[in-house]
Amino acid sequence: MIELRHLRKEYENATPLKDVNTVINDGDVISIIGPSGTGKSTLIRCINMLERPTGGQVIFDGEDITEPGYDLTKARQRMGMVFQSFNLFGHLTVIENLMQPQMDILKKSKSEAYETGVRLLKRVGMSGREFQYPDMLSGGQKQRVAIARTLAMDPDVILLDEPTSALDPTMVGEVQAVIKDLAKSGKTMMIVTHEMKFARAICNRVFYMDQGGIYEDGTPEQIFDDPKKELTRRFIMHLRVLELNVDGPDFDFIGAGTEIDRYCMQNTIPSRIQYRIRLAFEELMQQMLQPVLAETPVRVTVEYSEDEETAVMNATYGGERFDPAEGENSLSYQVLKKSVEELTYSYDPEGGEAEASDADTGSSNKFTNTVKVLIRE
Amino acid sequence: MISIKFHENQLKTNEKQSAWFEKPLRFPALILCVMLILLTFVSAGLGMQSYASEGGAGGDSDAAGKAVHEYSKLSDFDGKRIGVGTGMIQGPMVEEQIPTAELLYYNTVADMITALRQGRVDAIALPVMIIRFAQIDNEDLAWVEEGLNEPTETGAIFAKNAKGDALREEFNEFLAERIADGTMNELDEIWYGKDESRKVVGDPSDLPAEKGTLRVATDSSSPPAVYISHNNYVGIDMDLLYRFCEARGYGLEINDMIFSGIVDSVSSGKCDLGIGCIAKTEERMQSVNYSDTIYAGASVLGYLSSDSGAASGGSKAAGSSEADGSGGSFFGSLKESFEKTFIREDRWKLFMQGIGTTLLITALAILFGTLLGFCVFMVCRKGNRAANRITDFFVWLINGMPVVVLLMIFYYVVFGQLSVSGTAVSVIAFTLIFASAVYGMLVSSVGAVDRGQTEAAYALGYTDRNAFFRVVLPQALPLFMPAYKGQITALIKATAIVGYVAVQDLTKMGDIVRSRTYEAFFPLVAVAVIYFILAGILTFFVNRIELRVDPKRRPREDIMKGIDTKGADIK
């Protein structure tokens, strides 16, 4: 139904969409998730051309709507949009918000438009508010009216741009209920949202957006339960990651300690876990891995999962197989092993340049050794 | 099953709002009216008192201790304040003869005499003819025998081209005949005499106009040369010119303007000739040619003296003036003042004409200015670079200079060579000024409507045009109207300057009346009150429009009009 080919959107100081390619099928209900600033809203605003893409094409039912001179009004009629900020017409009553577009664009008679309006207001639970003005409604009520207005045009596709983000938490539920009901109706939908549980409940497909495009595309089960890619996993698991590159024996360990403290503060990590993270870092780097550091840099990542309240520290390094358990400093190893949940070592001769690492490290170093420390309160 | 509950209290709120909306306007209006009336009485009272005391004073000094001055030579005015007319030739003369004197500039003779009465100046420098004429109504006005200059000749002025020369020849010939047959002396007797019934000039529209119509530039606030009486242009120069046109078969079209504009009008070709006590000077002769001398007289210093006969040379002794007659009681003087300003010589008709002109210019400027501003806005709305640049430039140009300067540039420069009436030029200038204001207000009020409204309309499938007219504009108008109202009030007041380009609007008519009554407060207060009323009327109409364009004030019946709600389903 909708096909995106090499879609690109540049702003003066950012490029949220670098190269987006995908096909959206009839009846798909797609949740678009991802960290803020990764172009989720830009993507759906490009689909109905509220933002004109810098490059690429949007093919809607076989027609390229990005082509200059294409009559966008025809395509937009069939693609309803629900906005984060509702955008109800402030000068019209609720019922007129639903009636006027039908009369102006679909050329329906006033009575017909009125009937559709009343029916849809009932569907979103807003009967009895016909003659109020939008500024007399609560946020949740406004959004339900906005959804009804979109439905009044009987679109084939509905684009929802963070429909509950501007709402008071107490009102999120009522709007989500309406959207859930909508998702069952078989219309094609794309919804940008931060509510994972909600996204999972309504959709049959998820786009995880990051790094200028659709980073991972799959069913809700695939994305939420078993993400294939590192950034998706971090996002889904609510992982907060700290990366440190220890490049040699002269590394500023005091500075690194401060950095760990700051990281723990920012993510409200319990102090006992914080203490153990620091302990693990010191024991590993300043004791057990001293011989390694002399030869090759060690990359340390700390991941904290809010959901499970656990922290994982990974120290990876290249070079030959080196298990700290077998090293000289077995005292340190024993101390650490006692105070953490798990301390494991693995060796993978293939190694890997973990994808999370920025390209700027530039080293072709293979990280073959991995020491994993699991910390629980 | 469709069910709707009508929310009655909502409907009531709307009604209440509209009632509440008009109420505060009434109250300040009332206070203003009361203040104005008080002001009128106080100023009238003060003015009257000084008149009465001056009128009733004896030879030395009056009860208030006001000294009566006796001057006999120019040097008596060393260090004094002297009133002179803007653009008139007396200014430089006073500067030369009495270097220590302080000069104050006024636009009309009436203003000068008022200033003299109020003690703002000690003397006024005017041609002796004007002083002589003013003496008819101001018996205590006297002048110093020692003239500021040798008697100057006055004449009609003509453009420096073949057409102007031909007309000048014809006029000179006529003038020579009239001097020879004594008509000129007769004119002098008529216009400086007390007999008002003789001071009549025919109606220009009765002239034959066989040889075309002459456009004459003149200033009707320069009696005795030219002034208005009984809604007709009269005066010595006017009488002479009328006789000339009558004898030579010309029609006459009078362009009444401020004195300093006459020479420009003739030299730029907007008018064929200029009359009205125009003294010959080197400077003026560089721009225009003069006819032979119509009359000559020195410029003199006029001052107030209780005994007009003693100080002045050749002024006629006269009986008690009308002002003295009824000056005793306060209400009597007020009534007298009212009679003088409105009733005598049918002067109320002048005010009515002035109101008509002011309203015409204002209404047309509002109409065209709004249309033009809106069209320009529509062109610039989508951000077309060239259109925006050009618009910004013109808005900058128009807003960058005083309105009066803009108006005169239009009259003398842009339309200088074309025969476009001052009223038309005023309408054009004020249309541009108003359009630039409307444009600015539209930019800000449309800009104040949230961008999301347009996006929502686009997303529903509205075209750009319909999104603007159906969604954005209805929300911008309620923001636009209050500023628009303010601009209309500002506009009607701004039109008060059209007198500069020979348009007789309300303010100019007030000036003309003042030039005859030599009285400042009553015509001025009357003009101010009329402006208040006119602005009030316009604001009233705009208020009605404002209520209509606010979509939130629509009655619910309008929303439901034409919908078959299947009666039974509605509770």
Side-chain angles (χ1 to χ4, degrees):
Chain A
M1 168 157 239
I2 300 173
E3 193 185 342
L4 307 181
R5 292 182 190 158
H6 306 295
L7 197 66
R8 184 178 174 82
K9 177 71 189 176
E10 281 172 40
Y11 295 111
E12 244 168 62
N13 41 15
T15 308
L17 303 179
K18 286 182 182 142
D19 183 17
V20 180
N21 294 285
T22 193
V23 175
I24 294 147
N25 304 308
D26 233 330
D28 271 356
V29 176
I30 300 174
S31 291
I32 303 173
I33 59 170
S36 47
T38 50
K40 304 184 295 294
S41 290
T42 310
L43 178 70
I44 68 167
R45 287 167 63 84
C46 278
I47 290 176
N48 74 350
M49 298 287 283
L50 279 185
E51 302 277 353
R52 189 162 274 279
T54 319
Q57 294 162 307
V58 178
I59 313 289
F60 181 53
D61 269 357
E63 288 179 76
D64 181 2
I65 66 170
T66 54
E67 211 162 88
Y70 179 83
D71 180 13
L72 280 172
T73 58
K74 288 272 171 287
R76 282 172 176 162
Q77 273 175 41
R78 298 178 47 207
M79 290 197 272
M81 187 161 203
V82 176
F83 297 85
Q84 181 179 353
S85 51
F86 329 122
N87 294 344
L88 288 177
F89 299 143
H91 63 302
L92 299 177
T93 57
V94 164
I95 189 73
E96 286 172 299
N97 261 282
L98 273 68
M99 286 162 65
Q100 190 167 305
Q102 295 183 59
M103 286 149 62
D104 286 350
I105 296 162
L106 303 178
K107 308 290 173 205
K108 282 198 195 172
S109 75
K110 199 168 181 179
S111 299
E112 226 179 321
Y114 178 77
E115 256 172 60
T116 312
V118 169
R119 180 169 53 77
L120 287 169
L121 283 182
K122 196 175 178 193
R123 181 168 169 187
V124 299
M126 290 295 291
S127 290
R129 307 256 183 192
E130 282 83 355
F131 296 101
Q132 297 197 348
Y133 283 93
D135 53 17
M136 304 166 89
L137 303 177
S138 73
Q141 290 172 332
K142 280 185 208 172
Q143 195 60 294
R144 285 189 278 154
V145 173
I147 292 171
R149 180 177 66 177
T150 305
L151 291 178
M153 301 298 289
D154 196 23
D156 300 327
V157 183
I158 301 175
L159 309 170
L160 299 103
D161 186 3
E162 306 199 22
T164 59
S165 298
L167 297 179
D168 199 288
T170 57
M171 292 167 184
V172 171
E174 60 189 71
V175 174
Q176 287 184 346
V178 170
I179 298 173
K180 250 181 213 168
D181 170 57
L182 212 59
K184 285 185 216 147
S185 68
K187 278 204 196 311
T188 310
M189 281 169 63
M190 291 181 83
I191 174 166
V192 176
T193 183
H194 291 292
E195 311 271 338
M196 299 295 167
K197 279 182 196 150
F198 171 65
R200 184 167 188 164
I202 62 160
C203 67
N204 60 15
R205 199 172 161 193
V206 180
F207 288 171
Y208 173 74
M209 293 198 61
D210 209 329
Q211 303 211 323
I214 300 171
Y215 182 79
E216 194 166 353
D217 172 1
T219 63
E221 290 74 27
Q222 285 168 348
I223 301 287
F224 289 111
D225 297 339
D226 185 20
K228 290 283 176 291
K229 293 180 157 180
E230 177 63 21
L231 291 182
T232 317
R233 192 180 68 83
R234 285 188 191 170
F235 181 78
I236 298 295
M237 313 291 280
H238 288 272
L239 294 182
R240 310 289 159 76
V241 179
L242 172 72
E243 282 188 24
L244 296 162
N245 273 300
V246 184
D247 47 12
D250 299 333
F251 180 74
D252 175 13
F253 288 104
I254 296 168
T258 315
E259 219 170 307
I260 291 173
D261 286 348
R262 194 188 305 132
Y263 163 77
C264 291
M265 284 268 283
Q266 279 169 356
N267 298 297
T268 57
I269 294 173
S271 54
R272 295 169 66 130
I273 294 184
Q274 179 181 355
Y275 166 74
R276 284 176 190 145
I277 292 172
R278 285 200 62 162
L279 179 75
F281 184 72
E282 280 162 21
E283 294 294 337
L284 270 176
M285 302 316 297
Q286 286 168 285
Q287 303 291 340
M288 293 178 260
L289 297 180
Q290 275 291 320
V292 179
L293 268 180
E295 286 165 23
T296 173
V298 179
R299 208 179 62 210
V300 180
T301 61
V302 182
E303 295 175 356
Y304 176 72
S305 162
E306 227 175 299
D307 299 349
E308 293 166 24
E309 291 192 330
T310 55
V312 175
M313 179 183 290
N314 280 305
T316 53
Y317 45 92
E320 291 182 9
R321 188 187 167 92
F322 178 84
D323 183 350
E326 293 158 10
E328 294 165 10
N329 211 332
S330 59
L331 181 65
S332 275
Y333 185 80
Q334 293 306 326
V335 170
L336 187 59
K337 178 126 190 165
K338 265 188 199 160
S339 60
V340 300
E341 189 86 8
E342 264 180 65
L343 178 56
T344 52
Y345 169 79
S346 60
Y347 179 75
D348 176 9
E350 291 301 306
E353 287 149 69
E355 36 194 324
S357 76
D358 291 329
D360 60 5
T361 52
S363 66
S364 56
N365 219 347
K366 286 200 171 178
F367 292 92
T368 47
N369 299 278
T370 305
V371 180
K372 183 180 174 191
V373 186
L374 179 67
I375 300 163
R376 202 185 289 274
E377 186 158 9
Chain B
M1 173 76 179
I2 299 164
S3 75
I4 298 168
K5 274 187 206 154
F6 281 90
H7 288 256
E8 300 220 320
N9 50 345
Q10 183 199 336
L11 201 64
K12 266 185 203 156
T13 320
N14 280 354
E15 278 171 4
K16 220 188 273 170
Q17 273 178 345
S18 58
W20 176 89
F21 182 74
E22 290 182 7
K23 215 172 184 180
L25 280 179
R26 273 182 218 149
F27 190 60
L30 200 74
I31 292 182
L32 249 162
C33 283
V34 172
M35 275 170 56
L36 255 175
I37 291 167
L38 277 177
L39 190 82
T40 314
F41 272 86
V42 169
S43 62
L46 290 174
M48 284 304 155
Q49 258 172 6
S50 66
Y51 267 103
S53 57
E54 278 165 18
D60 319 283
S61 64
D62 61 20
K66 201 165 187 172
V68 172
H69 304 288
E70 292 293 342
Y71 299 105
S72 56
K73 53 190 188 302
L74 291 181
S75 55
D76 290 344
F77 290 94
D78 280 343
K80 303 272 183 183
R81 291 159 305 167
I82 313 259
V84 295
T86 313
M88 293 176 76
I89 58 169
Q90 287 76 29
M93 288 179 199
V94 176
E95 270 175 351
E96 196 191 319
Q97 302 279 344
I98 318 169
T100 53
E102 183 192 346
L103 292 188
L104 287 95
Y105 288 85
Y106 293 91
N107 274 333
T108 64
V109 174
D111 288 342
M112 290 164 76
I113 289 177
T114 305
L116 187 63
R117 286 218 172 278
Q118 289 170 342
R120 291 171 198 274
V121 292
D122 300 303
I124 51 177
L126 283 169
V128 70
M129 294 81 91
I130 293 178
I131 301 258
R132 260 177 77 196
F133 186 76
Q135 233 176 12
I136 301 171
D137 287 329
N138 299 273
E139 313 245 331
D140 50 349
L141 187 66
W143 74 83
V144 182
E145 285 254 32
E146 185 186 354
L148 286 162
N149 60 347
E150 294 302 307
T152 10
E153 298 167 350
T154 73
I157 56 171
F158 301 87
K160 283 190 163 178
N161 55 29
K163 196 182 160 198
D165 285 343
L167 193 61
R168 192 162 60 99
E169 285 302 316
E170 204 176 352
F171 187 81
N172 282 343
E173 201 178 287
F174 171 79
L175 192 61
E177 288 168 19
R178 291 301 169 269
I179 292 169
D181 69 10
T183 308
M184 291 310 286
N185 287 335
E186 189 194 332
L187 285 179
D188 195 272
E189 259 169 51
I190 294 174
W191 294 100
Y192 291 110
K194 282 242 119 198
D195 185 357
E196 290 292 325
S197 65
R198 289 182 71 193
K199 298 178 181 177
V200 183
V201 176
D203 185 343
S205 60
D206 295 340
L207 285 168
E210 293 146 5
K211 288 162 69 181
T213 297
L214 294 181
R215 291 164 304 167
V216 60
T218 190
D219 175 12
S220 67
S221 53
S222 49
V226 182
Y227 63 99
I228 293 178
S229 172
H230 292 95
N231 302 305
N232 208 2
Y233 286 90
V234 295
I236 300 182
D237 287 28
M238 198 45 79
D239 199 350
L240 180 68
L241 183 64
Y242 188 85
R243 287 169 198 242
F244 169 69
C245 290
E246 203 173 30
R248 305 291 156 134
Y250 286 111
L252 191 56
E253 178 197 309
I254 298 165
N255 288 278
D256 195 351
M257 60 191 65
I258 59 165
F259 187 82
S260 52
I262 296 176
V263 173
D264 290 335
S265 280
V266 173
S267 65
S268 71
K270 289 197 86 71
C271 291
D272 299 313
L273 75 163
I275 57 161
C277 198
I278 308 169
K280 284 185 191 175
T281 65
E282 282 300 319
E283 275 173 345
R284 286 177 186 159
M285 276 152 82
Q286 280 168 14
S287 309
V288 290
N289 284 332
Y290 275 83
S291 70
D292 292 341
T293 304
I294 300 176
Y295 45 80
S299 290
V300 295
L301 289 181
Y303 62 93
L304 286 179
S305 138
S306 58
D307 184 359
S308 56
S312 67
S315 137
K316 290 166 192 136
S320 73
S321 76
E322 287 157 287
D324 290 335
S326 57
S329 83
F330 169 70
F331 284 104
S333 2
L334 203 64
K335 199 175 145 204
E336 147 89 23
S337 212
F338 180 85
E339 195 270 333
K340 236 165 136 186
T341 304
F342 290 114
I343 312 295
R344 200 179 296 170
E345 296 181 3
D346 281 346
R347 284 174 189 149
W348 60 274
K349 285 186 182 163
L350 292 181
F351 282 103
M352 292 313 288
Q353 275 175 24
I355 290 169
T357 309
T358 293
L359 274 183
L360 179 76
I361 293 171
T362 310
L364 288 179
I366 290 171
L367 183 71
F368 296 139
T370 308
L371 283 176
L372 179 65
F374 190 78
C375 290
V376 170
F377 176 76
M378 288 310 288
V379 173
C380 294
R381 185 172 68 90
K382 286 208 202 153
N384 179 314
R385 261 238 171 123
N388 272 289
R389 284 256 174 93
I390 294 169
T391 306
D392 287 349
F393 174 73
F394 275 104
V395 168
W396 172 79
L397 200 67
I398 290 167
N399 291 346
M401 66 180 106
V403 180
V404 62
V405 177
L406 180 76
L407 185 68
M408 298 218 284
I409 286 178
F410 267 95
Y411 189 70
Y412 291 117
V413 182
V414 180
F415 296 107
Q417 301 303 315
L418 304 167
S419 153
V420 181
S421 79
T423 310
V425 171
S426 304
V427 170
I428 291 169
F430 281 104
T431 293
L432 288 177
I433 290 159
F434 199 66
S436 85
V438 166
Y439 171 77
M441 292 186 295
L442 276 173
V443 168
S444 62
S445 59
V446 168
V449 176
D450 185 36
R451 167 87 193 141
Q453 297 286 319
T454 316
E455 286 191 348
Y458 285 167
L460 286 163
Y462 276 91
T463 58
D464 179 64
R465 207 184 133 78
N466 280 344
F468 180 74
F469 280 106
R470 302 288 290 162
V471 176
V472 177
L473 194 60
Q475 298 186 65
L477 280 182
L479 307 172
F480 171 81
M481 290 309 288
Y484 187 65
K485 253 191 319 197
Q487 281 297 329
I488 285 178
T489 316
L491 176 71
I492 195 167
K493 288 182 291 181
T495 59
I497 56 156
V498 295
Y500 274 91
V501 294
V503 178
Q504 287 165 308
D505 71 322
L506 182 54
T507 304
K508 176 74 182 175
M509 286 305 191
D511 289 347
I512 289 171
V513 169
R514 278 194 299 142
S515 73
R516 291 287 291 136
T517 61
Y518 299 108
E519 203 183 279
F521 57 84
F522 212 93
L524 283 178
V525 172
V527 166
V529 170
I530 294 170
Y531 271 111
F532 265 106
I533 293 169
L534 293 184
I537 292 170
L538 282 179
T539 311
F540 173 78
F541 282 114
V542 181
N543 277 339
R544 299 294 292 267
I545 298 171
E546 190 178 19
L547 290 176
R548 290 202 61 157
V549 300
D550 189 346
K552 291 201 173 178
R553 293 184 199 277
R554 287 165 305 160
R556 182 185 305 177
E557 294 74 56
D558 283 5
I559 301 173
M560 294 299 292
K561 201 180 279 169
I563 295 176
D564 176 15
T565 49
K566 303 197 181 77
D569 287 346
I570 308 275
K571 279 178 197 159

